[in-house]
């Protein structure tokens, strides 16, 4: 049954998102993006955007215990597939309900690339969008930290033309007082507590295997973070 536009509520959209396999879903009204960089505002992508739906799925933490990088890389690639599938299906369904709905690719391609700094940027910051949608706050490792899943989540988003009720923003820092583990243990000194030097990070975190493939070869700042303790306790 097709809903009238005014019947499309935040609750309806969250239900549809969770049904497609996400674990978390929040909504950020467009007014919250006032500090988005020029060219990377949701309305730079979809001028009619009124709300940003952000969702997250758990990233299996067991892969952080492996002595090889292949399982972590495999899981990362599967998370990209799963997340893009959820945002794609959600956008198709919402469009059929009569609103504009645009899925945001959760990884590549980069629209912006600075060759000199090896610095890339997607069309929308999913981490900042997730914060504005109430899913958590950014840690000093620049990853989004969620109260239930720590940093072990993968984020996706859909822009919509419907005005939806927003979720409360979590303003509290989720880094324990005085913690600088990720800064101290990063082998590249790529973190300063607020930003990441992508060039330094990429030199260590992406490697080619002798067989010609590529793997994610560093995840120390993700692995070492005590914000993941809640899920670790359950294993
Ligand atoms: S390791 Fe510590 S400082 Fe770094 S993100 Fe995690 S909690 Fe925050
Ligand atoms: S992935 Fe590794 S190199 Fe990159 S910031 Fe994290 S700890 Fe540093």
């Amino acid at each position: 049954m097709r809903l009238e536009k005014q019947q499309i509520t935040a609750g309806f959209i969250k239900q549809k998102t969770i049904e497609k396999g996400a674990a978390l879903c929040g909504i950020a009204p467009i007014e919250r993006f006032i500090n988005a960089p020029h060219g990377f505002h949701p309305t730079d992508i979809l001028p009619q955007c009124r709300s940003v739906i952000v969702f997250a799925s758990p990233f299996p933490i067991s892969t952080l215990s492996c002595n090889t990088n292949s399982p972590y890389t495999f899981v990362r690639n599967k998370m990209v597939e799963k997340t893009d599938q959820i945002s794609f299906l959600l956008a198709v369904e919402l469009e059929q309900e009569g609103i504009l709905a645009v899925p945001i690719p959760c990884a590549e391609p980069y629209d912006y690339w600075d060759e000199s700094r090896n610095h890339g940027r997607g069309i929308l910051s999913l981490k900042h969008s997730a914060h504005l949608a109430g899913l958590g706050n950014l840690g000093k490792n620049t990853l989004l930290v969620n109260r239930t899943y720590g940093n072990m989540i993968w984020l996706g988003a859909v822009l919509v033309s419907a005005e939806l009720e927003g979720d409360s923003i979590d303003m509290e820092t989720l880094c324990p007082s005085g913690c600088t583990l990720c800064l101290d243990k990063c082998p590249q000194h790529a973190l300063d507590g607020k930003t990441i030097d992508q060039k330094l990070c990429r030199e260590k975190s992406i490697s080619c295997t002798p067989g010609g493939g590529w793997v994610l070869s560093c995840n120390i700042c993700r692995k070492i973070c005590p914000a993941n303790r809640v899920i670790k306790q359950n294993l």
Side-chain angles (χ1 to χ4, degrees):
M1 182 184 69
R2 179 174 164 142
L3 299 175
E4 295 300 321
K5 278 186 193 178
Q6 60 269 25
Q7 287 181 283
I8 295 177
T9 62
F12 171 81
I13 286 177
K14 287 177 186 174
Q15 181 196 336
K16 293 294 174 191
T17 310
I18 300 299
E19 280 174 7
K20 288 173 181 49
L24 306 169
C25 182
I27 295 188
I30 197 68
E31 295 76 19
R32 295 183 184 174
F33 289 81
I34 192 164
N35 293 321
H38 179 66
F40 297 89
H41 189 279
T43 57
D44 292 323
I45 304 164
L46 176 69
Q48 300 92 331
C49 178
R50 300 304 304 148
S51 309
V52 179
I53 304 160
V54 190
F55 60 88
S57 304
F59 190 117
I61 198 165
S62 304
T63 57
L64 295 183
S65 302
C66 296
N67 291 321
T68 159
N69 297 312
S70 294
Y72 180 79
T73 306
F74 167 79
V75 165
R76 177 268 183 200
N77 292 339
K78 283 293 178 192
M79 292 306 301
V80 171
E81 279 177 33
K82 175 182 175 178
T83 303
D84 284 345
Q85 179 76 350
I86 293 172
S87 54
F88 167 69
L89 292 175
L90 183 64
V92 169
E93 188 167 347
L94 292 178
E95 197 171 282
Q96 287 170 352
E97 298 292 349
I99 61 173
L100 296 177
V102 174
I104 302 299
C106 73
E108 298 78 21
Y110 285 138
D111 259 27
Y112 167 91
W113 179 255
D114 180 340
E115 189 69 34
S116 63
R117 295 191 300 139
N118 261 8
H119 187 100
R121 200 184 257 180
I123 54 177
L124 181 75
S125 168
L126 291 173
K127 292 184 285 190
H128 289 94
S129 299
H131 171 59
L132 296 176
L135 296 188
N137 210 340
L138 271 66
K140 290 177 188 167
N141 54 10
T142 77
L143 299 172
L144 186 89
V145 180
N146 171 266
R147 287 180 185 271
T148 303
Y149 294 99
N151 63 48
M152 295 305 291
I153 47 178
W154 205 260
L155 301 169
V158 174
L159 312 185
V160 291
S161 56
E163 292 192 10
L164 301 167
E165 184 182 352
D167 288 276
S168 302
I169 300 177
D170 195 341
M171 297 302 292
E172 192 181 329
T173 176
L174 299 179
C175 293
S177 174
C179 182
T180 55
L181 273 174
C182 53
L183 278 65
D184 299 341
K185 298 295 182 184
C186 172
Q188 295 291 92
H189 306 291
L191 298 167
D192 64 7
K194 287 192 172 18
T195 59
I196 182 168
D197 185 320
Q198 289 188 11
K199 186 172 185 179
L200 288 173
C201 175
R202 284 178 204 283
E203 287 170 3
K204 181 75 181 174
S205 63
I206 303 174
S207 304
C208 288
T209 66
W214 66 273
V215 289
L216 296 169
S217 45
C218 182
N219 50 33
I220 292 172
C221 56
R222 188 186 283 279
K223 181 176 177 172
I224 205 166
C225 181
N228 297 335
R229 65 189 175 284
V230 180
I231 36 175
K232 279 183 180 166
Q233 279 164 6
N234 293 330
L235 295 176

